[in-house]
């Protein structure tokens, strides 16, 4: 369904957009299967109405919002971001969303709120991957993710409700997902039902599954390699067929260092990968 | 109709049709908007399946006393090499987009790719020495060279295991399957044991 939005921002990234058909047919969403096309095939009946997004934890004004309420309260804007998967492929996606900070400020975090934890819906009836370890890739559900407070409040961090001018397709994480453009794609948690502010660093699914491979921070960093993929270069998925993709160098913070590098002053990003 | 010819024709179809299917799936978009990993994985599984068929020939021939079946083994071995070559080519072409420097650094830095390359080099050596002329020229050494396929049977599933992000029940299954295929070669590994232990073992 079309979504109304005002303005579009690129943050200096002039790369060509990845075609919509590729954005909606090449997804990692293990709740529907581990194949890149499984979400497209198995998520179409996924019900996004009614939906409640709960914001609670170390806040003075916890709340629970329907998607309509979010759309009414927070004007959407288009954010054309690079999205870099840890598997060394990347896309450029025109997301529609609003800064996460606006939602968090409304909940009035208290002094103990130092991290933000996110949780995906747990509904094995609708999500075949949650019914069987074999189909769901052996990760434990519900999928959880987390951000440090300053990362969550950063203007680049958005909650996305759509892409290419329309509401999010189920395979892309409908009805609401997180998008953090300077981090690897797995930080962008899909189909969020709960945002929980905490004092301790929250667990994150891939870090729990393979701590030596996936970190809590997961900033895009060409200097820190992954056992399976060189992180120094990526295959940019764009127009055209198989051989039209381009192998390009990966930039620190996915090219958003200018906006986010100061978040990590004095932090050793080799240790905090 | 000669049963060897029939079996060979059947095996050519069984090994060749999946490639036709893959081509059609990619063309029709059924393999998704970005089929690179789909293609590489599909071809990788093709290697394991043709390798399993190859290793099944002699146990089956011995079990049913179908000596003629041994004449299809080379064909299966070469199909296995074909899938391996296509698998490597797809990785170099579609994923690395012919960035040969990156291919070299990936081989050195990514453990699972190093294991994959070792297995490929072995398969290449076996393919190069598969013609009858080579078999005659190498004589007895041909047999010991071609037993290196047992190493490929172990490296393949390990390569597969290390290449998946999670959910490694499938690679484990293949590893167990190939282990079983190797255990079928009882006379061979018993001989190895005897040689290692240097003590005469009374065979049962």
């Amino acid at each position: 369904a079309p979504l109304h939005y005002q303005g579009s921002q690129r943050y200096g990234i002039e790369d060509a957009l990845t075609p919509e058909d590729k954005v909606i047919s090449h997804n990692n969403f293990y709740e529907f299967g581990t194949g890149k096309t499984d979400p497209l095939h198995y998520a179409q009946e996924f019900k996004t109405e009614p939906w409640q997004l709960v914001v609670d934890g170390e806040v003075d004004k916890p709340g629970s919002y329907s998607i309509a309420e979010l759309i009414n309260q927070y004007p959407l804007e288009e954010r054309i971001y690079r999205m870099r998967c840890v598997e060394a492929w990347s896309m450029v996606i025109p997301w529609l969303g609003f800064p996460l900070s606006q939602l968090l400020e409304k909940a009035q975090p208290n002094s103990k709120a130092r991290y933000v934890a996110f949780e995906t819906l747990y509904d094995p009836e609708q999500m075949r991957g949650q019914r069987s370890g074999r189909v769901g890739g052996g990760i434990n559900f519900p999928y959880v993710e987390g951000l440090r407070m300053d990362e969550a409040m950063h203007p680049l961090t958005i909650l996305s409700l759509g892409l290419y001018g329309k509401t999010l397709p189920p395979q892309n994480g409908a009805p609401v997902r997180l998008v953090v453009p300077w981090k690897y794609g797995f930080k962008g948690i899909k189909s969020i039902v709960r945002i929980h502010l905490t004092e301790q660093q929250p667990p994150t699914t891939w870090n729990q599954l393979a701590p030596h491979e996936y970190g809590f921070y997961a900033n895009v960093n060409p200097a820190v390699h992954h056992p399976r993929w060189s992180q120094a270069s990526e295959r940019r998925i764009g127009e055209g067929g198989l051989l039209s993709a381009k192998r390009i160098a990966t930039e620190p913070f996915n090219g958003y260092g200018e906006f986010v590098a100061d978040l990590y002053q004095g932090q050793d990003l080799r240790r905090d990968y | 109709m000669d049963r060897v010819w029939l079996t060979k024709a059947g095996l050519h179809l069984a090994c060749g049709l999946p490639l036709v299917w893959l081509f059609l799936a990619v063309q029709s978009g059924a393999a998704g908007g970005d089929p690179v990993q789909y293609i590489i994985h599909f071809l990788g599984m093709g290697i394991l399946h043709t390798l399993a068929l190859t290793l099944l020939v002699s146990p089956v021939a011995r079990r049913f006393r179908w000596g003629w079946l041994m004449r299809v083994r080379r064909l299966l071995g070469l199909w296995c090499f074909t899938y391996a070559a296509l698998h490597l080519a797809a990785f170099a072409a579609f994923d690395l987009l012919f960035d040969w420097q990156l291919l070299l650094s990936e081989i050195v830095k990514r453990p699972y790719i190093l294991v994959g390359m070792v297995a490929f080099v072995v398969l290449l050596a076996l393919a190069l020495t598969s013609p009858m002329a080579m078999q005659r020229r190498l004589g007895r050494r041909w047999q010991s060279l071609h037993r290196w396929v047992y190493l490929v049977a172990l490296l393949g599933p390990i390569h597969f295991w290390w290449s998946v992000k999670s959910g490694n029940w499938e690679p484990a299954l293949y590893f167990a399957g190939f282990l079983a295929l190797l255990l079928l070669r009882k006379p061979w590994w018993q001989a190895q044991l005897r040689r290692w232990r240097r003590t005469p073992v009374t065979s049962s």
Side-chain angles (χ1 to χ4, degrees):
Chain A
L3 269 178
H4 176 64
Y5 64 93
Q6 324 141 308
S8 173
Q9 291 196 33
R10 277 181 167 272
Y11 291 90
I13 304 292
E14 291 312 325
D15 310 358
L17 291 182
T18 299
E20 185 176 4
D21 63 315
K22 296 190 178 186
V23 173
I24 62 172
S25 66
H26 186 75
N27 314 97
N28 275 324
F29 200 178
Y30 279 22
E31 279 80 345
F32 293 102
T34 54
K36 294 290 187 291
T37 55
D38 285 342
L40 170 67
H41 292 144
Y42 295 108
Q44 294 320 308
E45 274 76 41
F46 181 64
K47 286 196 294 299
T48 56
E49 271 301 317
W51 194 271
Q52 281 298 320
L53 173 58
V54 169
V55 183
D56 63 5
E58 301 294 353
V59 291
D60 295 341
K61 290 175 69 180
S64 173
Y65 308 92
S66 71
I67 299 302
E69 279 168 337
L70 293 178
I71 291 178
N72 294 339
Q73 281 167 24
Y74 305 101
L76 299 181
E77 56 184 276
E78 183 175 71
R79 297 285 183 91
I80 297 177
Y81 282 155
R82 288 177 178 162
M83 206 251 355
R84 171 49 156 92
C85 178
V86 72
E87 297 167 357
W89 54 267
S90 62
M91 290 184 178
V92 179
I93 299 172
W95 301 103
L96 296 180
F98 63 91
L100 172 63
S101 55
Q102 291 175 2
L103 180 66
L104 294 181
E105 273 153 9
K106 191 162 182 301
Q108 293 173 11
N110 62 38
S111 58
K112 289 202 288 188
R114 297 181 52 242
Y115 291 92
V116 183
F118 303 84
E119 197 177 305
T120 294
L121 174 69
Y122 183 75
D123 184 353
E125 290 309 315
Q126 296 197 73
M127 293 170 148
R128 60 195 287 268
Q130 293 179 337
R131 284 199 298 270
S132 107
R134 191 179 54 76
V135 172
I139 67 176
N140 36 42
F141 295 107
Y143 190 89
V144 287
E145 257 302 333
L147 293 174
R148 201 174 53 189
M149 205 58 196
D150 56 352
E151 296 174 323
M153 299 301 277
H154 193 282
L156 257 64
T157 304
I158 62 168
L159 280 180
S160 174
L161 299 164
L163 54 84
Y164 270 110
K166 298 188 284 288
T167 50
L168 280 177
Q171 63 267 29
N172 290 84
V176 57
R177 69 169 290 167
L178 183 67
V179 175
V180 191
W182 75 89
K183 290 181 182 284
Y184 288 118
F186 69 83
K187 293 296 284 187
I189 182 167
K190 302 182 177 68
S191 304
I192 305 170
V193 286
R194 188 169 178 228
I195 297 178
H196 185 66
L197 283 87
T198 63
E199 192 171 2
Q200 302 303 327
Q201 180 177 304
T204 58
T205 296
W206 281 104
N207 176 251
Q208 280 183 318
L209 188 79
H212 55 286
E213 292 181 23
Y214 307 100
F216 173 81
Y217 288 96
N219 292 325
V220 175
N221 187 345
V224 176
H225 294 306
H226 180 281
R228 263 188 300 287
W229 304 286
S230 147
Q231 297 301 15
S233 91
E234 63 197 60
R235 185 170 52 82
R236 171 63 55 81
I237 299 171
E239 291 290 342
L242 279 169
L243 289 175
S244 67
K246 292 193 295 300
R247 254 284 157 176
I248 53 179
T250 295
E251 293 175 42
F253 301 107
N254 210 16
Y256 297 98
E258 174 192 346
F259 304 100
V260 299
D262 52 10
L263 291 177
Y264 305 99
Q265 281 311 340
Q267 203 172 338
D268 174 5
L269 291 183
R270 282 179 174 282
R271 193 173 49 81
D272 295 342
Y273 54 89
Chain B
M1 199 56 84
D2 160 64
R3 63 187 168 193
V4 173
W5 186 88
L6 252 176
T7 311
K8 283 190 172 184
L11 287 175
H12 274 304
L13 275 177
C15 296
L17 283 181
L19 291 177
V20 174
W21 187 90
L22 176 64
F23 180 79
L24 295 176
V26 171
Q27 286 304 341
S28 68
D34 181 70
V36 170
Q37 276 161 337
Y38 183 94
I39 292 170
I40 293 171
H41 181 65
F42 184 93
L43 293 170
M45 298 312 285
I47 306 170
L48 294 180
H49 296 148
T50 47
L51 182 61
L53 282 177
T54 309
L55 290 171
L56 269 172
V57 169
S58 52
V60 167
R62 195 179 310 121
R63 170 69 181 71
F64 297 100
R65 276 187 283 288
W66 290 342
W68 59 271
L69 193 63
M70 296 302 281
R71 288 161 60 194
V72 307
R73 192 171 59 175
R74 179 173 52 206
L75 164 146
L76 283 171
L78 285 174
W79 267 113
C80 176
F81 173 71
T82 303
Y83 272 96
L86 290 173
H87 181 68
L88 178 59
F91 176 60
F94 301 145
D95 199 344
L96 303 186
L97 294 145
F98 304 112
D99 184 335
W100 304 110
Q101 226 175 355
L102 184 58
L103 177 61
L104 285 182
S105 75
E106 286 290 89
I107 291 171
V108 170
K109 284 195 207 128
R110 292 314 138 238
Y112 87 102
I113 291 184
L114 181 63
V115 162
M117 276 312 286
V118 168
F120 178 77
V121 167
V122 171
L123 283 177
L124 178 62
L126 302 188
L128 293 176
T129 56
S130 62
M132 284 307 284
M134 289 299 285
Q135 194 166 348
R136 272 197 293 279
R137 226 159 85 199
L138 289 170
R140 211 173 44 75
R141 277 173 294 130
W142 187 90
Q143 181 74 21
S144 47
L145 169 65
H146 276 250
R147 285 225 173 86
W148 280 79
V149 75
Y150 298 162
L151 176 67
V152 176
L154 295 179
L155 292 185
I158 292 173
H159 172 69
F160 182 17
W161 193 317
W162 286 353
S163 73
V164 291
K165 270 164 63 169
S166 72
N168 37 34
W169 59 275
E170 196 182 353
L173 214 63
Y174 277 87
F175 192 82
F178 279 110
L179 216 56
L181 280 173
L182 293 189
L183 293 179
L184 284 180
R185 267 85 178 158
K186 207 151 156 306
W188 171 71
W189 54 260
Q190 266 178 339
Q192 305 311 316
L193 281 178
R194 262 199 300 283
R195 196 178 307 151
W196 289 330
R197 267 198 258 120
R198 298 254 176 321
T199 55
V201 172
T202 54
S203 63
S204 56

